[in-house]
Amino acid sequence: FAAMAAGDPLLARLTGRLRGLRPPRFPTVFEALVNGIACQQLSITVGIHLLGRLTAAHGRPVPEDPDELRAFPGPTDLESVTLQDLNQMGFSAAKARTILEAATAIAGGEFDLESLERLDDQTAVDRLTSLYGVGRWTAEYVLLRGLGRLHVFPGDDVGARNKLKRFFDIERTLDYEGIEELLARWHPYAGVIYFHLLLDSLAETGLVTTG
């Protein structure tokens, strides 16, 4: 990707400040799923705060510093959590239900997240969107950040879509198919471009420092 970006003036504008960056994969697919749910139709800053509250309240203590550090909760850690608990943290009723129903299905063996590794993209998206409250954007986010499929660009992300237009000076309206067409020239790195757009947004808020 770095070699491609270096030889492409359009990509160089986006990636120059974060050369060598590779989108980090979440430690578990469940963490990627809950992250995607939390950030649905919210700024990433707000989503991060919600996830921090969830981890502080229900995360697993880290042995090296159990009084201060918490790992992200797994499905079984949320079995006793109620809708009201999540509402009080700031999660909407719909997101709270989505998180808890997914955790229950996964903890009970009704939904096998790990099996997604063996599925092609569309089949994995279909499986994920069978869960209550999980749409195509969240499913594709899981493919990118939970399964490490760097060719996947969550095309329903309106913020990323608008930033893509600004970065590449595109005047026409971009729909899902238009994004696929635009990014085809940089296959198989659409997900890397998505992550650069995401970090650029974080840099604008001061949450990420770039050189």
Side-chain angles (χ1 to χ4, degrees):
F1 177 75
M4 179 188 292
D8 189 311
L10 288 177
L11 275 189
R13 289 173 54 196
L14 177 63
T15 63
R17 293 178 299 169
L18 296 164
R19 188 179 304 277
L21 176 74
R22 181 183 177 88
R25 181 173 174 176
F26 284 110
T28 67
V29 182
F30 181 69
E31 184 170 349
L33 175 61
V34 177
N35 268 260
I37 295 167
C39 293
Q40 289 172 354
Q41 299 179 322
L42 288 177
S43 72
I44 190 167
T45 306
V46 174
I48 288 172
H49 285 308
L50 291 175
L51 293 162
R53 293 171 194 159
L54 178 66
T55 302
H58 302 290
R60 303 172 183 178
V62 175
E64 289 75 13
D65 193 352
D67 294 328
E68 296 292 335
L69 299 179
R70 292 287 186 276
F72 195 81
T76 56
D77 298 314
L78 301 181
E79 287 183 300
S80 62
V81 178
T82 66
L83 291 172
Q84 184 178 13
D85 291 334
L86 294 188
N87 291 158
Q88 290 174 345
M89 293 178 198
F91 288 93
S92 68
K95 288 186 180 182
R97 178 184 170 188
T98 300
I99 291 170
L100 295 184
E101 287 197 9
T104 298
I106 295 162
E110 299 168 24
F111 191 96
D112 183 5
L113 272 182
E114 303 311 315
S115 70
L116 297 176
E117 290 271 13
R118 302 187 294 273
L119 304 179
D120 62 72
D121 292 346
Q122 188 56 57
T123 305
V125 166
D126 291 343
R127 286 282 292 131
L128 284 163
T129 54
S130 70
L131 293 168
Y132 170 83
V134 175
R136 182 169 62 180
W137 175 81
T138 304
E140 291 183 337
Y141 182 84
V142 171
L143 264 59
L144 173 61
R145 300 294 312 282
L147 300 178
R149 299 188 184 182
L150 300 183
H151 59 278
V152 175
F153 186 106
D156 291 316
D157 188 323
V158 175
R161 187 183 300 177
N162 291 335
K163 186 169 280 293
L164 195 65
K165 288 179 61 177
R166 290 196 300 272
F167 245 107
F168 298 126
D169 298 321
I170 299 168
E171 296 184 0
R172 62 186 172 89
T173 300
L174 279 179
D175 56 13
Y176 186 90
E177 289 72 23
I179 287 177
E180 285 190 326
E181 181 181 343
L182 173 68
L183 296 176
R185 63 186 288 186
W186 296 304
H187 182 78
Y189 299 112
V192 182
I193 294 171
Y194 179 83
F195 199 67
H196 275 279
L197 293 170
L198 180 67
L199 286 184
D200 191 74
S201 295
L202 290 176
E204 290 176 355
T205 65
L207 290 175
V208 170
T209 302
T210 61

